[in-house]
Every structure is written in structure tokens, then in C-alpha cells.
Amino acid sequence: PLIFNTARIRRRIRDPRLTMEIMSAGESSHTDIAICYMENRVDKQLLKKIKDRIKDLKVDALTMNQESLAECIFPYKWFNPFPKFKFSERPDTAAASVLEGNIIILVDNSPSAMILPSSVFDIIEEADDYYFPPVTGTYLRLSRMTISVLALMLTPTWLLFMQNPSYIPEWLAFIRVSDPLIWQLLILEFAIDGLRLAAVNTPSMLTTPLSVIAGIVLGEYAVKSGWFNSETMLYMAFVTIANYSQASFELGYAMKFMRVIILILTAIFNVWGYIIGTAIAICAIVFNKTIAGKSYVYPLI
């Protein structure tokens, strides 16, 4: 598979300066690793750092393929859930990244390419954006970013308004709800993950009908029984669907963790909790670093 994956990139970039170096890691597995880059465009210092870290790996086997390699060459900071790498299974995305001066790492027995360095804007964008006219592609990317911000801030902002009804403008008076909301929101956050995990293990022929039945039955009876109100179900449904606008599964869960933190702080400390939670989410993004040492929000910073 590694040879076929390198060939797919080579067919798109027929330039002698396209370099692919084969290395290996793992005392037992001896897993083959291909480092792909353009010799005249790559960051030489970053390339040397990556090669040195792969050579110095002290692991028995790369059991999880590129994910094991990612954790070895750039150990994650457990308190920051935002992804440090972009993964793609598309040869066109890998080829475009190589031409931009990035480094592509291919691991044997894995269909994904690891692209580095990657900022948050690289992780948010999708290759399909470039298959449309510039106006359409830009609109899709801005829409994805806007939906991500809404998915992060919608339920905490609504909770803040419900705790402080005087903040609600008259034209939004219809959103007022008097029920205690924090427990409803937190229970739904975990319940949605439970349904998602159940869907993964459901036989494919039953996934769609069971998902529809679960959505209708659970949603209707949860409201009728008084456990949840309809407004909470509506906002959580939007947040759940909005998470699927992200191509990166890891980025979606990073947003979810930040949203839960903001919800809990808002429920405890009201306005100041909302401000502190938002500041934590912003700092988690701004002060994150790529493997090259650049800002996670490059080129803004």
C-alpha cells in the first residue's frame, strides 16, 4: 500500500525535485514510513527535525499507524484537545500540500497521509472547496467557519440569556425558558455521543431506520415526559448537525469539549463564567503551536 500511495502522488507531480525518503520505525514491526516533499520548497529545518525524531523513536511497534507516529514525533499536550496534524485520504490534497511546501508522511498499512505543519485553517478547509469557482469556494469556507463558531457558542450564549432574562432584547423574547437548563444540556451532550457510538456498531442495513426511529421516539417522549423542553432539544439538534460540517472528527470533539467547559462555567459563575470559558477556548486555539513552532492560527498570527 505504501508504494501505491507514493505512486498516486508521483502521478500528480512529475517533477524530479519531488523527493520521497523511506525510513522505518518500531523494533518489532519495522514499519515503513515515507517522507514526501519538494526539495526546493520545503522548510529544511523542519525536515531535519522530523527525520531526527523518526530516527530516535524508541517504540516496539506503530500499532495505530500514523496516529502512533504522530504521538511519538510530537507528543500531545493532554490539556489542549485541538488537533496538531491534518490527515487526508485524498491524493489530490496530499499533492497540493506538497506543492505548497508542506511535508507529507505516509505510513505503511495506512490509507491516510499526515500533513505538517498544519494550522487550524488548514484543518478546517476541504479539498472540495477548490473544485468550485473562487466565490463559491470562499463562501463555503466562511460558512464552515461561521457554523463552527455557532456550534461552540450557541448553547452557552442561550444559557447565559436564560440566567439573565434582562439581557434578552424584546425581539428575542420568545426564546425565554424558565426551566433549569444546565443539566438538560449536559445530559444531551452525553446522550448524543451515546447514540453516535451505538450507530457505529449498528448493522449498516439498520442504521438509517433505527436512527430515524430513535430520533423521533426519544425526542418526542423526552419532551412529553418533562425531562427536556423543546427549545433545548432544538438547540442541541443544531449543534449536533453543525459538528458534521467539520471534516476533522478530532476538531469537532475539541469544539465539544470547549463548549462543555463554557456551559459549566456559565452555570456556576454566570456572566464571568461565560467570559472566562470563552477566554479559555480562545487561548487554547491561539497559544497552540504546530510542529514547526508556528502559531496555530497562522497566518493571522
Side-chain angles (χ1 to χ4, degrees):
L2 183 64
I3 301 300
F4 294 142
N5 289 340
T6 55
R8 289 185 179 97
I9 298 176
R10 177 69 71 181
R11 291 181 64 184
R12 288 169 170 78
I13 308 175
R14 301 183 181 184
D15 190 317
R17 289 169 294 188
L18 174 62
T19 305
M20 298 183 179
E21 297 186 29
I22 303 295
M23 305 179 70
S24 65
E27 296 179 5
S28 297
S29 64
H30 298 286
T31 305
D32 290 327
I33 300 169
I35 304 177
C36 312
Y37 59 91
M38 291 294 291
E39 190 174 354
N40 59 329
R41 304 184 186 186
V42 72
D43 183 344
K44 304 289 186 182
Q45 185 176 0
L46 175 61
L47 179 61
K48 183 179 183 301
K49 181 192 295 186
I50 297 301
K51 289 182 181 178
D52 291 342
R53 291 189 179 183
I54 294 177
K55 288 178 182 177
D56 296 336
L57 285 182
K58 305 294 183 183
V59 293
D60 184 59
L62 298 179
T63 53
M64 303 302 295
N65 297 322
Q66 78 277 356
E67 186 63 31
S68 298
L69 181 64
E71 293 179 1
C72 290
I73 65 176
F74 192 36
Y76 284 1
K77 297 178 180 178
W78 63 269
F79 52 84
N80 195 328
F82 285 93
K84 307 297 189 301
F85 300 97
K86 178 178 180 178
F87 298 98
S88 178
E89 296 183 8
R90 299 183 56 153
D92 54 352
T93 300
S97 299
V98 169
L99 292 174
E100 291 174 359
N102 294 331
I103 299 172
I104 303 297
I105 297 180
L106 302 172
V107 181
D108 196 16
N109 295 319
S110 172
S112 298
M114 186 193 309
I115 303 172
L116 49 97
S118 299
S119 68
V120 67
F121 298 110
D122 296 325
I123 296 172
I124 288 177
E125 73 177 9
E126 292 184 5
D128 290 333
D129 295 343
Y130 294 94
Y131 284 86
F132 295 102
V135 174
T136 306
T138 303
Y139 166 75
L140 291 175
R141 192 175 304 173
L142 291 175
S143 298
R144 195 176 300 114
M145 293 180 183
T146 303
I147 291 172
S148 299
V149 174
L150 284 175
L152 174 66
M153 302 303 300
L154 179 64
T155 51
T157 303
W158 181 57
L159 177 62
L160 178 68
F161 281 151
M162 295 305 100
Q163 293 182 168
N164 302 273
S166 59
Y167 294 172
I168 304 176
E170 289 299 326
W171 59 278
L172 284 178
F174 63 90
I175 69 171
R176 292 178 182 173
V177 177
S178 57
D179 298 341
L181 300 174
I182 181 60
W183 295 112
Q184 295 185 30
L185 292 171
L186 292 179
I187 291 172
L188 284 174
E189 289 280 2
F190 290 108
I192 289 168
D193 281 333
L195 292 174
R196 182 182 296 180
L197 293 174
V200 172
N201 298 314
T202 303
S204 57
M205 66 178 65
L206 298 176
T207 300
T208 300
L210 285 181
S211 298
V212 172
I213 293 172
I216 294 175
V217 173
L218 291 180
E220 181 178 358
Y221 284 97
V223 172
K224 285 185 176 180
S225 65
W227 275 64
F228 305 100
N229 56 51
S230 55
E231 289 83 358
T232 307
M233 299 290 289
L234 172 64
Y235 294 129
M236 284 306 304
F238 170 82
V239 168
T240 303
I241 296 173
N243 278 336
Y244 288 107
S245 67
Q246 292 297 334
S248 172
F249 191 76
E250 194 175 0
L251 181 61
Y253 266 97
M255 292 289 190
K256 177 187 181 71
F257 296 148
M258 292 295 111
R259 182 172 64 249
V260 170
I261 289 174
I262 299 174
L263 281 172
I264 294 174
L265 290 176
T266 302
I268 297 174
F269 301 109
N270 207 353
V271 178
W272 282 107
Y274 181 85
I275 295 172
I276 293 171
T278 305
I280 291 174
I282 294 174
C283 290
I285 298 175
V286 172
F287 293 106
N288 204 359
K289 294 290 184 182
T290 66
I291 192 171
K294 291 182 179 180
S295 172
Y296 198 55
V297 290
Y298 177 85
L300 287 183
I301 299 178

